[in-house]
Amino acid sequence: MNEAHEHIIALEEQLRVAMLGADVDALDRLIAPDLLFTTHMGQVIGKQQDLDMHRSGLLKFRAIEAGERLVAAAGPVGVISARMNLVGSFGESPFNLDLRCTRTWRQADDGRWQILAGHMSIA
């Protein structure tokens, strides 16, 4: 694994910890302002919708486990495709999902890496 791959894996770990802790400040730093994220139900959400779900407690994670991870990185862009098991609740509805998640990370002009796009599907 090269340095770029290791960096993307480290960013994914920061994201996982932030999601588990509903750390909206950390999520705000990790998510690009112009995020396009397609949920496993086909809905497209942006950064504010994502942050609001965590901030309000509507979306709560109890466990996030990454399995198989494939990484492609070139210059200021990295893409990861990971098998994920997500356990938590959305509103009053509990979930335990086996998903494939693809995220595109990009390095902004200020040097920060952020998620620009993502997509989830049932694995």
Side-chain angles (χ1 to χ4, degrees):
M1 189 178 319
N2 66 32
E3 186 177 330
H5 288 102
E6 290 174 9
H7 188 70
I8 298 300
I9 298 294
L11 288 165
E12 284 285 316
E13 179 59 15
Q14 289 177 37
L15 179 65
R16 187 184 77 79
V17 169
M19 290 169 64
L20 279 170
D23 185 342
V24 175
D25 290 335
L27 291 169
D28 186 41
R29 286 189 301 275
L30 292 167
I31 299 172
D34 45 353
L35 171 74
L36 290 176
F37 192 87
T38 305
T39 72
H40 69 289
M41 304 211 23
Q43 299 164 306
V44 178
I45 63 171
K47 179 176 182 170
Q48 285 311 310
Q49 289 169 292
D50 191 311
L51 295 179
D52 288 347
M53 285 189 289
H54 289 279
R55 184 179 291 114
S56 69
L58 178 65
L59 177 60
K60 295 179 186 172
F61 290 101
R62 288 187 302 127
I64 301 172
E65 296 178 17
E68 173 194 11
R69 294 185 284 205
L70 306 169
V71 178
V77 176
V79 177
I80 186 166
S81 176
R83 185 91 178 245
M84 307 288 288
N85 179 251
L86 304 176
V87 180
S89 59
F90 189 83
E92 299 297 317
S93 301
F95 60 80
N96 185 338
L97 298 168
D98 184 21
L99 301 172
R100 171 65 65 178
C101 181
T102 302
R103 279 189 274 270
T104 301
W105 291 85
R106 77 160 176 219
Q107 188 174 26
D109 292 339
D110 65 4
R112 242 185 331 176
W113 283 82
Q114 294 182 312
I115 302 163
L116 178 62
H119 184 273
M120 287 190 160
S121 62
I122 302 295

